[in-house]
Amino acid sequence: ELTVEEALETSERRMVILGAPGAGKTTTLKKIARRLIAERKAGDPVLPILVILREFRKDDSLIEHLADVASLAVYDRERRELPLTWSSEKTHRSAVRLLSDTLTKVGAFLLIDGLDELDPPARDIVLDEIDLICSSGFKGGVVLTSRSADFTRKPEDFSVFEIEPLQPNQQEKLVSNWFATSENRLRTATEFESAVARVPYKDLRTRPLALVNLCIVFEKYGYLPPSPVTIYRKIVQLLLEEWDSERGVTRYSRYAHFDAARKLDFLAALSYEMDVIRGTRASFS
């Protein structure tokens, strides 16, 4: 197990951060950006650049986006026809080298969030572009995040890390901070901890988003429902649909019409098959 700081030191600042929904991938990028700025030495250029992939439109290019950030008009967008055809052209490679050199000189550190929030073909294009930038002389750091289940390929020479579940001391700190953030809170962290101790779904505490959701439910109603079904339904709905819809993310499944509602039906049928029909209470990796 490593801290974020240790992972950065051991990976030569080229890393992929994986995690389940709500595990804290975006929050980890914020922590990295804050650390880069706080530890900047006098005279050393440091420019954390956050790229939010869910904001990309169809056929958007990571390289063109970074060129815009660097204020470099390195190619004629109107003449580019396909996202990958120009990657082998000499003029394009020269432009990418210019971009990579410029980003290096300004101390750029690329924080690329949400590879899984692109449709599969677009993910491959972004990964190709990351490889091209890194092989064209860019010396700065690159951190890419993705959901674990949607990650099938890593950029060349990148290290891969996965966010660990929250430890008990981290859970206590998060709860304490959440209930202390406003003078208008109706409940206290102590009351919440007492309520959690009486319910059978304590395992939800290991994921930041789920734990905060429990805090919100307790703050609103003054209690946590004793039935796991009630709170699980809320958490599952959050992870399947609400978390994405609130951020404007549309996920395209590889399987036809496998939307959030059908995923919920599938999970219910799978649970019934495992628990009631087979009676195994099985687990799987």
Side-chain angles (χ1 to χ4, degrees):
E1 295 184 7
L2 300 173
T3 64
V4 173
E5 292 77 12
E6 291 169 341
L8 283 171
E9 292 173 0
T10 59
S11 65
E12 297 184 354
R13 305 200 306 175
R14 299 284 171 88
M15 56 193 289
V16 178
I17 297 178
L18 304 179
K25 299 182 291 294
T26 301
T27 301
T28 300
L29 288 187
K30 293 179 180 179
K31 184 175 182 180
I32 291 173
R34 184 173 62 184
R35 177 178 180 270
L36 291 171
I37 295 172
E39 296 184 0
R40 180 178 66 87
K41 298 178 181 179
D44 289 344
V46 175
L47 180 63
I49 298 176
L50 175 63
V51 180
I52 303 174
L53 293 178
R54 70 170 176 269
E55 296 179 352
F56 274 34
R57 300 181 303 275
K58 185 177 181 180
D59 296 330
D60 273 2
S61 162
L62 174 64
I63 289 175
E64 288 190 356
H65 176 81
L66 293 174
D68 285 341
V69 172
S71 298
L72 289 174
V74 292
Y75 15 71
D76 183 349
R77 294 188 181 189
E78 300 301 324
R79 298 181 62 184
R80 181 170 65 80
E81 297 177 356
L82 296 174
L84 289 179
T85 54
W86 39 256
S87 64
S88 60
E89 295 176 5
K90 181 178 179 180
T91 54
H92 173 72
R93 287 193 174 277
S94 298
V96 175
R97 283 196 294 271
L98 175 60
L99 173 62
S100 299
D101 184 56
T102 301
L103 291 174
T104 299
K105 288 180 178 178
V106 299
F109 194 110
L110 307 182
L111 306 170
I112 306 173
D113 190 30
L115 180 68
D116 58 285
E117 296 176 348
L118 297 172
D119 62 316
R123 293 176 202 168
D124 287 333
I125 292 173
V126 166
L127 290 171
D128 287 339
E129 292 185 304
I130 291 174
D131 285 338
L132 183 57
I133 292 169
C134 292
S135 65
S136 297
F138 177 57
K139 304 300 183 184
V142 185
V143 179
L144 173 68
T145 71
S146 174
R147 286 189 181 182
S148 304
D150 293 303
F151 187 70
T152 57
R153 169 191 157 198
K154 75 180 182 71
E156 294 181 12
D157 300 322
F158 273 57
S159 300
V160 180
F161 300 91
E162 186 151 11
I163 297 176
E164 286 284 318
L166 288 178
Q167 300 303 307
N169 62 316
Q170 295 172 315
Q171 297 170 23
E172 293 172 5
K173 184 175 181 180
L174 190 154
V175 170
S176 177
N177 288 342
W178 195 90
F179 283 98
T181 52
S182 172
E183 296 179 356
N184 299 322
R185 294 282 188 225
L186 301 175
R187 325 293 173 190
T188 66
T190 301
E191 292 171 333
F192 174 79
E193 296 288 5
S194 178
V196 169
R198 298 192 295 270
V199 298
Y201 43 83
K202 302 179 185 65
D203 55 304
L204 289 177
R205 295 179 52 124
T206 62
R207 193 177 301 181
L209 180 62
L211 179 54
V212 168
N213 200 52
L214 290 178
C215 292
I216 292 171
V217 171
F218 183 74
E219 171 70 15
K220 185 174 182 179
Y221 299 108
Y223 72 96
L224 293 174
S227 170
V229 173
T230 304
I231 198 70
Y232 284 150
R233 182 178 293 119
K234 186 174 183 64
I235 297 290
V236 168
Q237 192 65 35
L238 174 70
L239 297 180
L240 286 181
E241 186 170 25
E242 293 176 16
W243 181 237
D244 283 341
S245 64
E246 287 178 1
R247 299 180 301 154
V249 175
T250 301
R251 295 186 186 273
Y252 298 96
S253 173
R254 300 181 184 182
Y255 308 98
H257 311 300
F258 197 51
D259 58 14
R262 295 196 67 189
K263 288 178 184 176
L264 189 59
D265 291 341
F266 168 77
L267 292 173
L270 176 64
S271 300
Y272 182 79
E273 172 73 21
M274 291 171 58
D275 188 41
V276 178
I277 304 300
R278 301 189 181 188
T280 58
R281 296 189 180 275
S283 62
F284 50 90
S285 67

